[in-house]
Amino acid sequence: MKDSSYKRHLAKTITWRIVGTIDTIVLSCIISGNPFTGLKIGFSEVITKMVLYYLHERTWFKINLSKDGKVLESKKRHIAKTLTWRFIGTLDTIILAWIISGDPLTGLKIGFAEVITKMLLYYLHERTWYKINYGLDERRK
């Protein structure tokens, strides 16, 4: 693949991190009851999540889950990507929230609350990017 796919994946990484960080901050503030804890958790994730998301995106770009040489139908692929990313993202959130709050239960509460909101937001993000041609030399079929 050409270098343009890297630009696309970087742009997807940045846009997803913006959406994800806002969601984490809101949930962390509500669950911890402390806006500063929420901000610390949300902003601490920016670096870890961008690196993890970029690696996840590059891995999925290289995975060919096809039958007869055709890429798996986009909605099924996006659901699979959603589930794998959510596992990685939730684990990262739980660990960071636990460290920052000092309470493992707070980490678990925030992590599990995100499972629902983030899966829905991620799926919508994937569907939106599927319709955008930025960084594609040609749309994969």
Side-chain angles (χ1 to χ4, degrees), residues 11-67:
K12 283 180 72 175
T13 299
I14 292 167
T15 58
W16 172 244
R17 187 64 326 222
I18 291 167
V19 171
T21 297
I22 292 168
D23 184 57
T24 298
I25 290 169
V26 170
L27 289 174
S28 297
C29 287
I30 292 168
I31 292 169
S32 73
N34 184 332
F36 294 110
T37 299
L39 288 168
K40 286 179 191 175
I41 293 167
F43 287 120
S44 69
E45 285 190 335
V46 171
I47 301 299
T48 60
K49 289 287 196 314
M50 284 184 75
V51 170
L52 291 170
Y53 183 86
Y54 181 80
L55 294 172
H56 181 262
E57 189 65 25
R58 293 302 301 166
T59 300
W60 270 96
F61 184 72
K62 293 177 182 182
I63 291 175
N64 186 4
L65 298 176
S66 66
K67 295 178 181 175

Side-chain angles (χ1 to χ4, degrees), residues 67-124:
K67 295 178 181 175
D68 304 327
K70 293 183 179 179
V71 173
L72 183 68
E73 193 267 321
S74 69
K75 288 183 182 177
K76 291 178 184 175
R77 184 174 174 89
H78 294 156
I79 289 170
K81 282 180 72 175
T82 299
L83 294 173
T84 58
W85 172 246
R86 190 65 263 139
F87 176 78
I88 293 166
T90 296
L91 187 60
D92 184 54
T93 298
I94 290 169
I95 292 168
L96 288 172
W98 176 356
I99 291 168
I100 291 167
S101 72
D103 180 10
L105 189 56
T106 298
L108 287 169
K109 286 178 183 178
I110 293 168
F112 288 121
E114 279 191 346
V115 169
I116 304 298
T117 59
K118 289 283 197 314
M119 283 179 55
L120 176 62
L121 291 169
Y122 183 83
Y123 180 80
L124 294 172

